[in-house]
Amino acid sequence: MREAATTPEPTPVVAVRAHSVLGVRLAGFAAAVAVLVLVVLVSLAVGVKSIPLGTVLDAVLHGRGGGDRDVIVDLRLPRTLLGVAAGAALAAAGVLMQALTRNPLADPGILGVNAGAAFAVVVSIWIWRFADFTAYVWFAFAGAGIASILVYLLGSRGRSGATPVRLALAGTAVSAVLGALISFITLLEPKVFDQFRFWGVGSLTGADRGVVWQVLPFLAAGSLLALGLSGALNALALGDETARGLGSRIGRTRVLGAVAVTLLCGAATAAVGPIAFVGLTVPHIARAVTGPDHRWVTPYSLVLGPILLLGGDIVGRLVARPAEVQAGIVTAFVGAPVFIALVRRRRVREL
């Protein structure tokens, strides 16, 4: 008599391997958080005047520190918090853009989103004489959204569709045109140039508490959207037809993803200027640890992004003391080699 067929149970090897992968991911995330805490403390301690870490902890936790307390709490703490928020926002935007377009070269800077936000801000300063974040952040949102749509339309024309290289080329072209228009306006109006020159290269210099509190709601909303879309992004990575077969609403995912990217890029660019390569570099670093699962890539990127941006800001303070090199310049030196390496890879057509 034939025995009834039974469903094989998972082997112990598979269970152990899954447990091991989870352990590596959790350990890596804990290590990344620890590094971020250390970078935050170093950011509070380093500047024209170096302050011991013990004094920094006393000032932050207990409100003590003498004259150094004012430097830490009033000057360096807002700058550091803004670096954390903007770095997380740009990294999360990079994850979303790479997942939504299945393009490993996608980045708010490379695809022209930052340039669109920067151009809109410059126009608002030039025509309406706006002078603070509250006034021109809405222009940054509009510019980021319009630029992203324009780049996608240009990159998707033709029979081959929106390939990674075509989107990168379209983004480069749009960024070049908008950059030329920004230069024209700033050269035409010296007052606009004075307000734009440091902001335009991407900088955390001069951040105050008001900007930090104003930017947080937008960045928090965009980050929560990015985290909420993580599961849908995994389905989308399998292709539109497969995602539909799994019950994923790909139209809804793309719309919400575009809203999140606009919130993240618009607010971050309005606050600190158009900083490139953070959104390109960080998701790839996260995937090297977590694999392609966006439920892990997104939270990892939210931690690694601030490490990169704040680390660049710290290096900029140290290499030219008592002057500073803007954070956007340092991150470009880090991100440009990564971009070149990605372009040279054979399998660059999709994630």
Side-chain angles (χ1 to χ4, degrees), residues 238-294:
L238 302 174
D240 290 1
E241 294 300 324
T242 303
R244 289 193 186 96
L246 294 173
S248 178
R249 299 167 61 182
I250 60 174
R252 174 178 173 272
T253 300
R254 287 201 168 101
V255 169
L256 291 177
V259 171
V261 168
T262 301
L263 285 171
L264 294 167
C265 293
T269 303
V272 302
I275 295 179
F277 292 114
V278 174
L280 171 69
T281 307
V282 170
H284 290 283
I285 298 174
R287 289 189 197 97
V289 180
T290 69
D293 189 345
H294 288 92

Side-chain angles (χ1 to χ4, degrees), residues 223-234:
S223 299
L224 289 174
L225 263 178
L227 288 170
L229 291 172
S230 297
L233 294 179
N234 284 341

Side-chain angles (χ1 to χ4, degrees), residues 81-82 85-86 89 133 137 141 209-221 263-264 266-272:
L81 292 177
L82 187 59
F133 172 84
V137 65
F141 288 148
R209 297 179 187 178
V211 173
V212 174
W213 287 114
Q214 290 164 1
V215 78
L216 278 180
F218 301 110
L219 299 186
L263 285 171
L264 294 167
T269 303
V272 302

Side-chain angles (χ1 to χ4, degrees), residues 82-83 86 90 133 198-204 211 267-275 309:
L82 187 59
L90 294 172
F133 172 84
F198 290 114
W199 177 87
V201 296
S203 173
L204 302 177
V211 173
T269 303
V272 302
I275 295 179
L309 183 54

Side-chain angles (χ1 to χ4, degrees), residues 41 44 53-64 72-73 77:
L41 292 176
L44 295 174
L53 287 178
T55 304
V56 170
L57 290 173
D58 276 343
V60 174
L61 299 178
H62 308 295
R64 298 193 298 264
I72 295 169
V73 175
L77 184 58

